[in-house]
Amino acid sequence: MLKLHNCKKIFKKKTALNGFSCEFDQGIYGLLGPNGSGKTTLMRCICGIMDTDGGNIESDENIIGYLPQNFGMFKTLTVYEMMDYFATLKNIPSKTKEEEIKRCLELVNLTEVMNVKTKGLSGGMIRRAGIAQAIMGDPNILIFDEPTTGLDPEERLRFKNLLKKIKKDKTILISTHIVSDVEAICNQLIVINQGKNIYQGSLEEIRSAAKNKVYIVSEKYEDQLEGNYFIKDRISKDNENFLYVLSNSKIKFGEPAEPGVEDGYLCLLKN
Amino acid sequence: MPAEKLIRSIKLIQLNLKSMGLLYFIPYVFLFLILPLSTYISLTSGTAKEQCFLNSYFQIQMFCPFFAVWWTLFGFREFSEGKMRELLLVYQKSILKELIIVWVYYILHMIIMLVLYLCLFGFNYFHSMMILTIQSFAFFSVGISLSFLIKNIALSFVICILYELIGMFGQIDILQPISMLSLSFPQNFFDGIVPYLFILLVSMILLIFSNLFAKKYA
Amino acid sequence: MLKNNLKLLLKSPHISIPLLILLLSTVGINLYAMSSYFMNSDIFAYAEKSLWLCIIGFIINFYASYEFFYQIRFSDTEETIQSYHNVKNKSDMVSLLLLAVFPFVQFVISLFFNCVLFSTSGMTNDSYMVHITLVYFLYIFLGGVTAVIFGALTARKIKRIVAYTIFALVLFLMSGISAFIFEGPSLSSSINFWQIKYFFAYLLPNNLNTIPYDDYGFPCELYRWNLSLFWVLFLLMLLIFTFRLTKKKLKIISVCLCAAAAAVNLTGYLMGGSHIEAGSGIDSIFLSDYVYYKNNKTEVKQQSADFKITKYEMLLNISRQLDAEVTMSLSDHQKGTYLFTLYHQYAVSNVTDESGNPLKYSRSGDYIDIKPDSSISKIKIKYSGYSSVFYSSSQGTALPGNFPFYPMAGYYDLKAKFGEYNHIFAPKTEYSVTVNAPQKIYSNLKETGDHTFYGKTNCPVFAGGLYEETDSDEYHICNISSEILLSEEITPEFLDDVQKKIDQLDKNSGIHLKDYYWLKMSLTFCNQAFGNNVLYSEDGIMLSSVDSPEETAKSIIEQKKIYDNAQ
């Protein structure tokens, strides 16, 4: 269990966290928010890298597995040596260390490159190694900060499958701004904006935030759009151009569409 | 056109040196403030003019050649190491031309400093200009070559400092053969120049070789 | 954790190779220094060459430490490690300890070579080994550790080129290369700007081109230890301050402890103490008194005393400086003013009579005037301080009796000319002296007990440092230990030759060398103190050169004539 109550974090003139509160039980949570909304700051506070300037964070667990946004390794060490380094820092007993390293590398499919220097790894492999170090020691809380950014589709799929493998009895928090990633993995979504928790709920609940607000409108009516609206996409279909619009007010000349999670997320942000 | 290329190089140099911030001015502090000021104080505190002339000559030798690495090493650090290196090398494989321009720019500063000494104190050090230039070139060459070869500006800088403190200033007997310090003031432009020609040759070879190495194994 | 950090260090060639070169240089420089020792048998010349390791070690240790911690900070690993509660700080401390091993290994290697040299040289004075161990520990080890902590601290907080700029500036201040900046302003203003330089420069032995006084050794007085420890503790305090600790109390306690210890050591350093500064600073042996007498144009006086001192009872405590209590028994008691000469650097704290009652006194330059209200039989003066030439520190003492390190009756002009002191010979009187010093003290007075001396003389000499007495039935000789290896010591054979020359030159000289206590002093000291090679007094002769028996004989005869005339 992880509880955050009224957490605040201020950097000079910017308030990164502004009274953020939330409770996390077992499951996979997606943390959605635009750039600069406070996702990374929140995660760093949970991991203890930063102290909050207000509020408190309660956790039953001593060990948290963390994969930061910018994860790197010492270029001159091999993958195994790097894992050994992390395992030592995590106080994994010497007797079980080797076994644990191999288990984690196997889970992320890096066993073949165990003895390769980290400078010879691709971006995806480095990220996988980062996941391996996060899950070492079998922590019950896992925090992943934008784990799929920069990964190819295959790697992203691999990541999703890995999470499904390890999620049992764990609290996993994933921050991202790629909505499609969290759609596939997460049970619950939290939307953060300007340091505040503006929404927490299931995927269905997020979708419903955009109910009756999504329209497909022909491009010729673009000039006639009024009120609070947002053109999410431009689509071409049958040689005609259409706009995918989110709007608070009804659009008479538009066709209502079924909202997705991303639509719900955008509606929450724009509101 | 050559003129355009030169202007482009100068613009590149200007931007790189600007990235140094306040540290750009460190050579100015030594060349135009500390050294002349110490000579002035020495003269006014009663030191004989001839002694002062020689002391200042040694001080000039201590600092001027060493600072030839300052702008070239720190100003262009991103080309040797750092995250931007990969990107910069796409646009410009070799920066040797720009570095040499910066070195010449530094030599101009040295000339201005010597003019200052002549005007303020009547000390004419121009006979040592050749020696000072070669010493500066040697430091410049070693600093840049090391940064090309080992891709680490810090180690290059540390090696230059070590040589300055121990090889030149330390005057340890076993290191005398590699000391560039000129112990007597030359009577004319080419006086005592022969050993320095050897230093110049070695420095040039080192620079060319390291540049080729850097281009090939970027 | 140690194993992992070691692996990381060894697998970072841009760090491990320079450290390896450092260790190889340590061996190489020691071997080279040894080879030069075997050529000329000068043990101090060997040690002086090996001390060049200090500056090389300082530079490379800083570089290695900075680059190691910089690598961790900028490898995008730091954030990951920081999430492992407090482990980052433990890991950093382990890394620091690991890096501190290199200065330690340098220290051990240098010490090993010295031990080999010492055991094969034939030197018998163990004090030399103790001294060299302390010197190496202070400069090679502590200097290296300071560099390591400095590197770690700057890597945590400061960008690369700024850090190396600061480092270059510190090196500039530490090395002799910056001497010219402080020389001119200090001389022209008489403000001692050198103190700014010393605050950094004393971390390493300055003036590595200057061979030290062979009886004094390399400078490692108490205040230098204070300075080194101050820097280590101060930088450590700053480093701990940068740590993020969940247990804030622990952090506060650690920072406070370091701060307190640093403050104590800083105080110790600022207290200063007797030392030999052989450079061009205004507190150097060459300039200190020159600057004083130039700036303080106190009247030079010469006046005989109208009283006699029948006995001196002295308690001399020598550690950082000389703290003395001197009781003088007076004869021809009179009312009126008692005139004394006491070197101006000794600050008088208390003047009392035989009953302990305070006496009125005034101090002006080298002179003290004591004005009792009634007749007194004894005067006790407490004073403390040190002379830049006639040192009295934890590692050496040079207090010849012709210099007013104790109150002398009457006024004397101390300085004949720049760089030399007048020989002042007080009337012969009784001395009972207790000297408490970390080193063994040698004197022309007879040693009557533990640290106590007694005798009648007009020039009590106290010397301490790297000396040893030579056993001889005929002569009392005290030599500088290292000069014995160079065959530059005073030997009975040499003295026999000198005696023969004296007898040849002047049959009626009345000089019988066996009647004197012979003390060998270093050439620089004698030149600076006396302007010549011989200091003659009725029962003791201090000698700096044994090159030529004839020249020595001539000097002795000449000095005796000067002495006799002065009486």
Side-chain angles (χ1 to χ4, degrees), chain B residues 23 30 34 38 41 59 63 70 74 77 81 152 154-155 157-158 161-162 164-166 169-170 172-174, chain C residues 14 18 32 49 52 55-56 59 63 67 160-162 164-165 171-172 175-177 180-181 184-185 188 209:
Chain B
L23 295 178
F30 275 86
I34 291 178
S38 107
I41 290 172
Q59 286 157 21
F63 293 100
W70 194 266
F74 290 144
R77 62 193 178 285
E81 54 175 48
N152 187 317
L155 194 50
F157 186 62
V158 161
I161 285 183
L162 268 170
E164 169 80 0
L165 284 177
I166 293 162
F169 181 72
I172 302 173
D173 42 12
I174 199 176
Chain C
H14 67 291
Y32 162 68
K49 283 183 169 58
W52 276 100
I55 191 106
I56 299 170
I59 293 171
Y63 164 79
E67 292 297 313
R160 205 107 177 265
I161 60 170
V162 176
Y164 279 102
T165 305
L171 270 181
F172 170 70
S175 71
I177 216 170
F180 74 97
I181 290 182
S188 52
N209 287 326

Side-chain angles (χ1 to χ4, degrees), chain C residues 58 93 96-97 100 103 137-153 199-200 202-204 223-241 254-255 257-263 265-266:
Chain C
F58 191 86
M93 291 311 283
L96 267 181
L97 285 170
F137 187 85
L138 177 63
Y139 296 122
I140 296 179
F141 178 65
L142 280 184
V145 165
T146 307
V148 165
I149 302 175
F150 185 36
L153 178 65
F199 197 58
F200 301 92
Y202 280 169
L203 271 172
L204 299 179
Y223 72 92
R224 287 201 184 225
W225 287 88
N226 287 139
L227 182 71
S228 273
L229 289 171
F230 161 74
W231 279 114
V232 168
L233 291 161
F234 177 68
L235 293 171
L236 198 59
M237 175 196 82
L238 292 177
L239 187 64
I240 295 172
F241 199 73
S254 311
V255 165
L257 277 173
C258 285
N265 280 288
L266 180 64

Side-chain angles (χ1 to χ4, degrees), chain C residues 273-545:
Chain C
S274 177
H275 59 283
I276 300 174
E277 179 53 55
S280 44
I282 63 169
D283 55 347
S284 70
I285 57 174
F286 311 109
L287 288 175
S288 164
D289 278 334
Y290 167 76
V291 169
Y292 172 80
Y293 289 113
K294 184 180 152 202
N295 294 334
N296 296 276
K297 293 187 191 326
T298 50
E299 198 189 331
V300 170
K301 299 175 189 173
Q302 191 84 33
Q303 188 176 331
S304 310
D306 58 359
F307 61 94
K308 283 182 188 164
I309 300 174
T310 54
K311 185 178 181 182
Y312 279 97
E313 291 164 78
M314 297 192 199
L315 172 61
L316 306 176
N317 294 314
I318 298 171
S319 61
R320 285 180 188 271
Q321 58 184 10
L322 173 65
D323 297 305
E325 283 177 32
V326 175
T327 306
M328 296 163 283
S329 303
L330 310 165
S331 75
D332 304 336
H333 308 154
Q334 290 176 28
K335 272 192 187 176
T337 308
Y338 289 88
L339 313 175
F340 292 94
T341 301
L342 177 69
Y343 180 64
H344 60 270
Q345 287 276 81
Y346 297 115
V348 174
S349 57
N350 201 6
V351 178
T352 54
D353 64 11
E354 62 268 25
S355 310
N357 301 315
L359 298 172
K360 285 182 202 162
Y361 71 95
S362 62
R363 185 94 157 105
S364 167
D366 297 322
Y367 310 113
I368 305 176
D369 296 348
I370 298 174
K371 297 163 194 167
D373 292 328
S374 53
S375 67
I376 50 172
S377 60
K378 283 187 182 182
I379 291 177
K380 182 176 179 179
I381 304 179
K382 273 190 195 174
Y383 58 94
S384 53
Y386 58 89
S387 159
S388 48
V389 175
F390 301 94
Y391 48 89
S392 48
S393 75
S394 54
Q395 68 179 88
T397 301
L399 297 173
N402 63 331
F403 170 75
F405 71 87
Y406 62 100
M408 291 179 163
Y411 288 157
Y412 294 97
D413 175 16
L414 206 55
K415 292 285 285 181
K417 50 188 174 181
F418 169 56
E420 295 158 19
Y421 294 78
N422 271 331
H423 293 212
I424 298 168
F425 294 105
K428 190 169 179 176
T429 190
E430 196 181 326
Y431 289 86
S432 172
V433 183
T434 304
V435 185
N436 295 318
Q439 74 264 182
K440 180 161 167 56
I441 297 292
Y442 300 89
S443 176
N444 57 334
L445 298 174
K446 195 175 170 185
E447 194 166 357
T448 54
D450 207 14
H451 310 300
T452 55
F453 302 86
Y454 177 82
K456 280 188 179 173
T457 183
N458 62 351
C459 182
V461 174
F462 300 97
L466 300 169
Y467 286 103
E468 52 190 276
E469 276 180 327
T470 306
D471 290 329
S472 164
D473 292 333
E474 294 172 330
Y475 296 102
H476 308 282
I477 304 171
C478 184
N479 276 307
I480 296 173
S481 304
S482 62
E483 290 185 347
I484 296 172
L485 302 178
L486 296 165
S487 303
E488 287 177 8
E489 80 273 32
I490 303 170
T491 58
E493 296 75 26
F494 172 78
L495 292 177
D496 286 340
D497 289 339
V498 173
Q499 184 70 72
K500 280 179 196 160
K501 292 290 175 194
I502 289 172
D503 295 338
Q504 278 170 17
L505 290 165
D506 185 351
K507 283 179 192 170
N508 302 318
S509 67
I511 298 173
H512 303 290
L513 299 183
K514 289 171 190 172
D515 296 337
Y516 297 89
Y517 183 85
W518 290 89
L519 181 67
K520 184 78 165 52
M521 300 295 283
S522 71
L523 188 63
T524 317
F525 172 77
C526 280
N527 282 338
Q528 192 57 33
F530 313 123
N532 59 51
N533 156 23
V534 170
L535 168 67
Y536 178 91
S537 69
E538 194 185 87
D539 54 5
I541 297 180
M542 292 165 71
L543 194 63
S544 67
S545 169

